[in-house]
Amino acid sequence: MAHHEGPVVNAPEQWLLEEGVNQWSGERSLPLWLADRDWYGLNARSNARAVEAGLALRALHVTLADILTSELPLTSADKLGSGLTDAEETYLLDKLSSQTLTNTSNSL
């Protein structure tokens, strides 16, 4: 999605929660990620009433591209309303990678 060409890293949900990553939205969050199974039906609701009221649907890739276009000009000093900063993401990826390497070496 959104033309990502780098590696995809799977992080255990419990590990993310222990590292203080928030679900769904807000500071230090992974937008749209839900670890709490009680919320899994959140997006299963029908949008029929909204469409009847005039909501125009668009493809997810268009929405994501628009979000990127609006956020790319932001500087590191700008406060994000949601998501991880580049520094937070790098820290978490580095920590996960080092823990994974340590766990792999210990099991050899």
Side-chain angles (χ1 to χ4, degrees):
M1 269 187 221
H3 307 291
H4 175 73
E5 296 176 3
V8 175
V9 176
N10 291 315
E13 289 182 338
Q14 188 59 40
W15 183 84
L16 289 168
L17 293 169
E18 289 167 2
E19 291 299 321
V21 177
N22 294 309
Q23 301 174 61
W24 192 257
S25 65
E27 290 183 32
R28 198 171 164 76
S29 68
L30 287 178
L32 306 181
W33 166 57
L34 289 172
D36 185 342
R37 301 302 185 258
D38 290 341
W39 287 92
Y40 268 34
L42 176 71
N43 290 327
R45 295 183 56 125
S46 171
N47 64 4
R49 289 178 48 205
V51 171
E52 287 172 15
L55 174 72
L57 300 177
R58 60 188 187 161
L60 180 59
H61 74 275
V62 173
T63 300
L64 293 173
D66 284 350
I67 291 168
L68 286 174
T69 299
S70 69
E71 290 193 359
L72 283 176
L74 297 178
T75 68
S76 60
D78 292 320
K79 188 86 165 150
L80 296 176
S82 193
L84 298 171
T85 65
D86 288 345
E88 290 168 335
E89 181 179 5
T90 299
Y91 169 80
L92 290 167
L93 288 170
D94 289 346
K95 186 169 185 179
L96 182 62
S97 176
S98 69
Q99 287 177 349
T100 303
L101 290 173
T102 301
N103 291 340
T104 303
S105 336
N106 290 339
S107 65
L108 295 176

